[in-house]
Amino acid sequence: MSNKQPLLEVKDVKLHFPIEDGVLFKRQVGAIRAIDGISFTVREGETLGIVGESGCGKSTTARAIAQLHPVTEGNIYFEGKDLTKMSTKELLATRKNIQMVFQDPYASLNPRMTVRTIISEPLNIYVKRRLLEMSQTEIENRVEELMEIVGLSRFYKNRYPHEFSGGQRQRIGIARALALNPKIILADEPVSALDVSIQSQILNLLKDLQKEFGLAYVFIAHDLAVIEYISNRVAVMYLGKLVEIADSVLLYKNPMHPYTQALMSAAPIPDPQIEKNRKRIILKGDVPSPDKERIGCYFYDRCPKKMEYCKTHIPPMKDLVKGHQVACWLYGKKGE
Amino acid sequence: MSDTTKKPVLQVKNLQTYFKTDDGIVKAVERVSFDLFIGQTLGIVGESGCGKSVTNLSLMRLIPSPPGKIVGGEVLFKDKDILKLSNAEMRSIRGNSISMIFQDPMTSLNPFLRISTQMVETIVLHQALSKAEAKKKAIEMLELVGIPAPEKRVDDYPHQFSGGMRQRVMIAMSLSCNADILIADEPTTALDVTIQAQILELIKELAQKFHTAVIMITHDLGVVAGMCDNVCVMYAGRFVEKADTDSLFGKPLHPYTQGLINSVPRMDKTNGGKLFSIEGQPPNLINLPDCCSFHPRCDKAMDICRKKYPQLTEVEKGRQVACWLYLDKEGTENE
């Protein structure tokens, strides 16, 4: 598995949003460090789950991969080619393989477009730029085919988004993402706006599609149980840094980073017997603002196991067991 | 619930709240009944639009009218029917004996007023305290909910607090008048998991300390499992199952409850296979048919389900369910 080139490789990516001051002559007074040096890979056909609290940079990561924000530092390789150094034209041709599904099915569909226009829009754009050859009838057929794939009746294609429920809208968003036959889908909290019974329908749909089309997913969510269900590997993010990456089974069985442990113990489990006997690690305080440059561990302020050493040394990502990476001074030798 | 000698603080009987719309009447809450005892935490679970929030807004008489109207039922609080009180009497209960925490701590505080102004307002209104005393009380409450340096922070504006902190302020405010009943309407939905754990722990602790009865509205079955003594499952404006938490999760009776519990992915179990999912969508509450509203999505639906509504009936001690699978069909079968 490891000798093959990964489909997507994110390498030491930093993405900082400038904080500006001044009215006419703007000058930068600081930066929000949304992503502060992360690296991971995604292989063909696998699902990488990214989990973390709000503001930790999960969504920015997805947007950086799709090149919706230019990265400040680092490289993003898709099939060996660096997306950050591509010309606009090259990027457009490559990005056909990278599609997104968004969190809010109410805001991510244009209310003035019919379902047909929404799903065919990516096709039409690529046809117009001569990156794809398709006749109007072919596009029409493709739209109908896509609607059936995601479980919508083709008779709805002339309807508008407001005529659909949240779950159905999310299906439209998925159909749109599938239109160009992508290799990887970046799903940014695709089920968090949905009810439980609808959520399981969409999760099942995503799993079926993966099997059918060999898709890779980068699946972002804050719900640990959802991530566990859908992912092969899981990355835990905190304050713009990755703190732990491992196989999903491994990570849930044996979380090593104190933050991962706290996150797991905080997530409620729908079983009163288990809930009664659980010991929770309750973290103190809130997630700090990412506007400062840090010299120590990013989790230092809230860590229940902090040591003096962590205050002044940023822990690097270390490979502990095969494929289980942790960034914490509790493990391995210090000062490496 | 097992202790029948105790008297409930709140008794809701056949509450009905309807909304009038251009398309017809929305029966948002239909014949909902429950008892709430001192020191008990009652959970109401259901999906969005099932009437959880409307039920509780009805208890507080906060339904915007028109278009909404409480058309029937009784809400007995300390033997008085809340629904028959005058507005002035109601005001003395609201925020005082029954108080509420809302889902979104960002919008439920007034952004223009200092925390102190907002808290003092509530306290002075309901208790015979001067403004200075009320402020002292406010600081005391903020300290109790774990806000660091409360004597300084009390004069801050809401935007200076984070989401979790704002929810703490809301809790401090709602408990500042020693409420008998605390209604928490999705109090942690807008918060992160680690903050959610903090807030739930806090509600649990304070409810015990002040002997407050809590009504916990949520869509998260995990929260229910950890917090509640009893649970009511709501679907399309009605309670479909009522039970104590252990037996509800141990052996759910109503097909909807079963589906709900099975369709949640769980961390503690490896779910290799497919998730269970309830097909279809929740129904539109306008013009609901006069039969079981879950039958189009139910995999155990029978003929009778399409004809008659199953009344919520006690099938075991302390367990009620509205489903024909468990009810006596006699007298209706010959139809």
Side-chain angles (χ1 to χ4, degrees):
Chain A
M1 229 197 282
S2 52
N3 49 13
K4 261 199 349 200
Q5 185 187 33
L7 184 67
L8 180 82
E9 187 178 3
V10 173
K11 215 172 170 193
D12 301 321
V13 165
K14 287 189 184 178
L15 204 159
H16 297 174
F17 294 103
I19 307 171
E20 285 167 341
D21 198 17
V23 185
L24 202 54
F25 301 101
K26 290 220 159 71
R27 67 201 159 85
Q28 193 176 334
V29 291
I32 297 288
R33 302 165 162 266
I35 313 178
D36 216 6
I38 59 169
S39 308
F40 60 86
T41 57
V42 183
R43 293 180 217 115
E44 221 161 280
E46 81 163 350
T47 304
L48 175 78
I50 302 183
V51 68
E53 295 178 278
S54 34
C56 74
K58 311 185 291 288
S59 297
T60 313
T61 307
R63 285 164 174 273
I65 296 170
Q67 291 291 300
L68 297 176
H69 295 305
V71 298
T72 314
E73 243 181 85
N75 309 85
I76 297 166
Y77 299 97
F78 180 76
E79 294 185 319
K81 282 178 280 181
D82 192 348
L83 293 176
T84 57
K85 297 207 171 66
M86 279 182 185
S87 67
T88 323
K89 214 177 158 193
E90 254 182 304
L91 184 63
L92 197 70
T94 318
R95 206 156 44 182
K96 184 166 150 283
N97 292 313
I98 308 170
Q99 295 292 322
M100 278 189 90
V101 175
F102 298 93
Q103 169 171 10
D104 189 346
Y106 292 83
S108 59
L109 304 177
N110 188 334
R112 298 187 174 212
M113 287 186 177
T114 59
V115 173
R116 171 210 266 134
T117 341
I118 290 170
I119 300 179
S120 64
E121 196 186 15
L123 295 168
N124 280 323
I125 290 173
Y126 276 80
V127 167
K128 220 191 237 163
R129 308 235 173 142
R130 294 172 201 285
L131 290 161
L132 192 73
E133 259 179 63
M134 255 179 142
S135 69
Q136 275 312 309
T137 7
E138 279 173 326
I139 290 181
E140 200 71 7
N141 289 340
R142 176 78 179 141
V143 168
E144 286 181 5
E145 186 196 2
L146 284 163
M147 289 184 74
E148 310 256 290
I149 288 173
V150 298
L152 289 170
S153 163
R154 64 170 75 182
F155 301 112
Y156 292 162
K157 70 175 174 184
N158 290 322
R159 295 201 182 178
Y160 288 90
H162 74 263
E163 296 174 82
F164 294 91
S165 68
Q168 287 173 317
R169 277 183 228 212
Q170 204 53 294
R171 286 173 196 266
I172 299 171
I174 293 170
R176 173 175 63 184
L178 288 175
L180 290 164
N181 274 325
K183 292 191 175 146
I184 186 165
I185 288 185
L186 313 171
D188 187 2
E189 304 250 15
V191 294
S192 34
L194 306 175
D195 273 318
V196 196
S197 72
I198 310 298
Q199 171 179 301
S200 64
Q201 291 174 8
I202 297 294
L203 287 175
N204 282 337
L205 174 70
L206 287 171
K207 266 207 159 172
D208 291 344
L209 292 174
Q210 179 165 45
K211 235 185 256 159
E212 204 174 329
F213 301 109
L215 293 167
Y217 290 130
V218 173
F219 193 100
I220 295 170
H222 63 271
D223 186 328
L224 285 152
V226 167
I227 285 282
E228 202 247 334
Y229 173 70
I230 197 111
S231 314
N232 305 109
R233 282 190 309 137
V234 179
V236 184
M237 219 170 158
Y238 185 78
L239 214 61
K241 275 252 186 229
L242 288 182
V243 296
E244 189 163 358
I245 307 184
D247 272 359
S248 152
V249 183
L250 217 61
L251 185 81
Y252 281 79
K253 215 184 259 170
N254 183 21
M256 298 187 84
H257 196 281
Y259 179 63
T260 318
Q261 290 168 352
L263 210 56
M264 301 251 172
S265 86
I269 291 176
D271 187 329
Q273 301 302 337
I274 295 176
E275 281 291 315
K276 260 177 227 158
N277 302 320
R278 274 176 97 189
K279 270 222 178 94
R280 285 227 150 84
I281 307 169
I282 294 201
L283 290 180
K284 296 221 169 61
D286 292 311
V287 183
S289 165
D291 58 359
K292 278 197 292 274
E293 193 168 355
R294 280 165 201 278
I295 49 159
C297 177
Y298 285 47
F299 187 53
Y300 181 78
D301 301 330
R302 298 175 81 195
C303 185
K305 291 180 184 161
K306 61 186 166 196
M307 303 172 286
E308 202 46 47
Y309 192 77
C310 312
K311 200 174 175 179
T312 45
H313 296 80
I314 298 176
M317 222 34 179
K318 274 170 289 191
D319 232 323
L320 287 183
V321 201
K322 197 170 153 279
H324 196 146
Q325 291 178 295
V326 188
C328 180
W329 289 120
L330 286 173
Y331 308 102
K333 269 189 227 128
K334 286 172 196 166
E336 265 173 32
Chain B
M1 210 182 249
S2 53
D3 197 356
T4 40
T5 49
K6 260 204 291 186
K7 248 184 118 195
V9 264
L10 187 78
Q11 256 183 312
V12 178
K13 287 182 189 163
N14 288 325
L15 182 71
Q16 288 174 299
T17 307
Y18 292 177
F19 287 84
K20 221 172 170 178
T21 67
D22 290 345
D23 298 328
I25 289 173
V26 176
K27 297 181 177 174
V29 177
E30 179 70 353
R31 295 189 184 282
V32 158
S33 314
F34 61 87
D35 294 344
L36 184 71
F37 295 87
I38 290 172
Q40 186 194 30
T41 303
L42 177 79
I44 301 181
V45 268
E47 299 179 279
S48 31
C50 74
K52 312 184 288 285
S53 294
V54 175
T55 305
N56 289 284
L57 289 173
S58 306
L59 302 185
M60 298 283 273
R61 285 205 7 218
L62 287 171
I63 296 291
S65 174
K69 202 173 175 215
I70 300 171
V71 293
E74 284 181 319
V75 178
L76 298 176
F77 173 68
K78 294 184 172 165
D79 296 326
K80 265 190 289 181
D81 189 354
I82 285 186
L83 302 180
K84 294 203 180 78
L85 296 179
S86 70
N87 281 340
E89 283 173 307
M90 192 58 220
R91 270 199 298 278
S92 72
I93 288 184
R94 206 184 280 143
N96 187 21
S97 325
I98 307 180
S99 60
M100 198 158 179
I101 315 171
F102 298 90
Q103 170 172 1
D104 192 350
M106 317 285 156
T107 52
S108 44
L109 291 166
N110 187 334
F112 288 107
L113 300 179
R114 293 176 196 280
I115 296 297
S116 54
T117 322
Q118 303 188 43
M119 287 191 75
V120 166
E121 188 187 13
T122 322
I123 298 170
V124 169
L125 196 65
H126 294 301
Q127 293 182 0
L129 291 177
S130 71
K131 274 197 173 169
E133 285 168 322
K135 190 162 175 187
K136 228 168 118 193
K137 170 102 185 170
I139 293 170
E140 225 171 82
M141 288 309 295
L142 288 179
E143 187 161 18
L144 202 67
V145 296
I147 288 185
E151 49 302 319
K152 275 192 213 133
R153 307 261 4 218
V154 74
D155 286 322
D156 280 354
Y157 287 95
H159 74 264
Q160 291 167 293
F161 290 85
S162 67
M165 283 297 176
R166 265 181 258 197
Q167 202 59 296
R168 282 172 195 266
V169 171
M170 282 299 294
I171 294 173
M173 208 183 273
S174 60
L175 291 177
S176 56
C177 297
N178 306 326
D180 293 308
I181 300 170
L182 177 69
I183 301 175
D185 189 350
E186 306 251 11
T188 55
T189 311
L191 306 174
D192 280 316
V193 228
T194 56
I195 310 294
Q196 165 170 299
Q198 294 173 358
I199 297 292
L200 290 179
E201 200 65 23
L202 181 70
I203 294 178
K204 227 192 240 174
E205 208 183 285
L206 293 181
Q208 248 165 30
K209 192 165 172 186
F210 293 115
H211 304 289
T212 313
V214 181
I215 301 179
M216 188 89 187
I217 307 171
T218 177
H219 67 273
D220 189 334
L221 288 165
V223 172
V224 173
M227 289 285 292
C228 303
D229 307 312
N230 292 55
V231 193
C232 303
V233 182
M234 206 167 179
Y235 187 78
R238 299 188 191 234
F239 282 175
V240 294
E241 186 163 358
K242 280 204 270 189
D244 62 285
T245 313
D246 286 346
S247 33
L248 186 92
F249 282 91
K251 195 179 134 214
L253 292 179
H254 198 282
Y256 176 65
T257 319
Q258 292 168 356
L260 214 55
I261 291 175
N262 288 335
S263 53
V264 187
R266 288 180 57 162
M267 298 196 305
D268 56 325
K269 286 187 182 159
T270 39
N271 356 245
K274 239 178 140 120
L275 267 184
F276 181 83
S277 69
I278 309 174
E279 291 305 317
Q281 316 279 340
N284 189 341
L285 293 183
I286 299 175
N287 303 324
L288 272 181
D290 205 20
C291 60
C292 176
S293 41
F294 186 61
H295 84 261
R297 303 176 76 189
C298 184
D299 50 0
K300 296 183 183 113
M302 302 173 289
D303 256 0
I304 190 166
C305 308
R306 300 183 186 92
K307 286 183 192 140
K308 243 184 132 185
Y309 190 84
Q311 292 305 321
L312 196 63
T313 318
E314 187 155 63
V315 285
E316 281 167 39
K317 199 175 170 296
R319 289 200 76 165
Q320 291 179 309
V321 63
C323 178
W324 284 117
L325 285 174
Y326 308 96
L327 300 185
D328 190 10
K329 285 164 226 114
E330 250 169 54
T332 47
E333 268 170 343
N334 49 10
E335 264 182 314

